[in-house]
């Protein structure tokens, strides 16, 4: 299995509901450094997994929808805790959508799975990985 | 699959038996920066994989049993080489025990697998990963 | 010159006023990974720059006053942009205060200067460094 | 599953053919920081996955064949784009060869799979992972 | 003293002349991850050292002149070894020029000194630091 | 001012005397990742600060005298706490000796100052910096 990983980041505000979160129930924020790994079993005719330029651009579009925002006010996340693991899934789903809309190029349809990791500090991170397509 | 990873570290002394270890047969030591990844297929009602506070505390307890020690004198490791890969398994097994004793909260019983990585320097690390529970 | 550096982190919300900040004028947030370097020209009788345990505790106290907060609502910062470089100075000044109150031990009075660095992402950081005492 | 990871690096020149590469069609270069993860389900009698000294030496031999070269002039890569993902596979295949020639010691024959990762910058990397042997 | 540091990177080919360089006399290449630290003794009215957006843009322009090139063919470097330390100075000088041409905004004229660091691998880097202006 | 930094590491056992060290009074150990920065105001005729190959070799020799040892048994350190900051000075002094014995080449005599940093974990490090020569 081959893979390529690209990196971006966002800086957001949010708060959590639930006693388990302790002081993180207050409005606070985070920098998430985001790594996306694209995986496929063979390379294309150019010798690549995906067009890394278009993959990076697509990631920037997805991250741009979240960046410099208070996620508590995003209608898409109403009633949900925007935890690191939850946001990893959001980035994953939105990138799957971008692949479906051909935004990463035709070659990206050969991507079998992705792993999205959000680093929230030097000591904690969360990931979502899953298959792309059907 | 979702995952959350937390980090801690220990500073220990030990020595190895066996020609393969060369100068590491002498009493020496290591800092192990320890990453534990907890994995489960879905999030709980709070939107999390595990209570990261309790997971970190449980890791600290496990690491506290090893930290600032000469592992050559630990009865639990008698006759064994406390290699990085061996210690990754020890941390894994002890965290499985902590989950079993409910020390990470009820939600941790949904953790399907864990990966424990010990970084021994900027150029070497070792891991153990396996299923949790039955 | 000898130095010792310890690390902590905070996760905060804030917004900025001023066109120069572009989208960061909106309420957003950041993880700041904070490194504090303590410097003195000679070691004490124990062979150390500062008691690293007490220095870490003092840093935790200073960071605890900021952590999991919306800095826009902190009276101490009213009318100020809590930029990364501004916050580096805040942490510096508060640690100088802690040294003055003997919270880092008697040896810390020999600290001549400190450098406080806040990493806001994998591609940006800010620092304040200055002399301690008189 | 246990694993051990070792690190090396190379500094090479190359160019790519294909519009997808944009300015990287020009002769340029890269530092690749190379991580190789060796995996096996159980440890040997010494408590290790592989002899880390011999594994590091074998990686150095493989990397030495590429280091400080213009890969455009390597006959082995004629007509191929030496992308990061392609080179990850090259390192993988050559290490499989080294294991087959007993260069990592008898224990290395128990290695079931490997993952080779090449970091090309602080924001991009590529990997190849696969089974070793038959 | 306050400072702000921003990061970029380039991927270049080059070769060196001189026995001291050993195999690096051959055409090879490097990824340079470039950190630029801007320093000034006080913050401006917005609470910043420099407009980080414009500083990043200016760095990208400077790096864009070098990126994806064979430095052996750059007239500006004819007869010179484009070592890591030499290139740190080039980036420094060109950023001084950009400040002089007001490309980083009026506030950047208060920058007293800069430090440019090029990381060539996980184990080696080089820097140039100096005063800006007169 | 130009500088070049090279990296190595050691894995040692030791213990400390003094209540300030708490549990670190027990025999334990550490991995120290060691960065040495060599500084001089101008480059030599080859365009370098030092011969990086010889600098790395000299660092390896200095580190080799400490590596895989119990520092409590080293006569050179009798009656001293081998703290991270103390060891930074030891590495510094021994590299100054190596420069004096011409082990880094004639060019190294132009090195004005050095900074030696020992990273003991992901959250703590210590340094010694000073002038070289007279």
């Amino acid at each position: 299995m081959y893979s390529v990983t690209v990196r971006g980041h966002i800086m957001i505000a949010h708060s959590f509901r639930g006693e388990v979160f302790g002081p993180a129930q207050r409005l606070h924020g985070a920098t998430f450094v985001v790594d996306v790994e694209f995986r496929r079993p063979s390379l294309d005719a150019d010798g690549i997994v995906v067009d890394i330029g278009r993959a990076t651009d697509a990631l920037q579009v997805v991250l741009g929808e979240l960046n410099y925002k208070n996620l508590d006010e995003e209608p898409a996340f109403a009633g949900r805790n925007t935890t690191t693991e939850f946001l990893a899934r959001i980035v994953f789903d939105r990138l799957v959508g971008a692949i479906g809309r051909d935004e990463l190029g035709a070659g990206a349809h050969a991507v079998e799975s992705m792993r999205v990791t959000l680093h929230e500090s030097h000591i904690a991170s969360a990931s979502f990985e899953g298959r792309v397509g059907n």
Side-chain angles (χ1 to χ4, degrees), chain A residues 1-3 39-45 47-50 107 110-112:
Chain A
M1 183 66 68
Y2 292 90
S3 76
R39 299 171 179 153
R40 54 185 281 188
S42 59
L43 300 181
D44 73 7
I48 59 176
V49 166
V50 288
V111 170
E112 270 193 7

Side-chain angles (χ1 to χ4, degrees), chain A residues 29-47:
Chain A
T31 305
F32 292 116
V33 176
V34 182
D35 288 321
V36 181
E37 183 184 12
F38 300 90
R39 299 171 179 153
R40 54 185 281 188
S42 59
L43 300 181
D44 73 7
D46 287 315

Side-chain angles (χ1 to χ4, degrees), chain A residues 38 53-63 95 98-99 103-104:
Chain A
F38 300 90
R54 295 184 78 171
T56 301
D57 288 348
L59 176 60
Q60 287 309 109
V61 170
V62 167
L63 296 182
L95 280 171
I99 291 173
E103 294 172 16
L104 283 81

Side-chain angles (χ1 to χ4, degrees), chain A residues 35-112:
Chain A
D35 288 321
V36 181
E37 183 184 12
F38 300 90
R39 299 171 179 153
R40 54 185 281 188
S42 59
L43 300 181
D44 73 7
D46 287 315
I48 59 176
V49 166
V50 288
D51 178 341
I52 202 171
R54 295 184 78 171
T56 301
D57 288 348
L59 176 60
Q60 287 309 109
V61 170
V62 167
L63 296 182
E65 292 164 353
L66 304 171
N67 202 14
Y68 292 122
K69 288 196 177 167
N70 177 0
L71 301 185
D72 291 355
E73 298 180 349
E74 286 297 290
F77 306 143
R80 307 296 297 271
N81 281 318
T82 54
T83 60
T84 313
E85 42 270 62
F86 174 85
L87 291 171
R89 175 64 178 270
I90 293 294
V91 173
F92 178 93
D93 285 347
R94 293 184 178 183
L95 280 171
V96 170
I99 291 173
R101 292 189 303 275
D102 263 344
E103 294 172 16
L104 283 81
H109 295 287
V111 170
E112 270 193 7

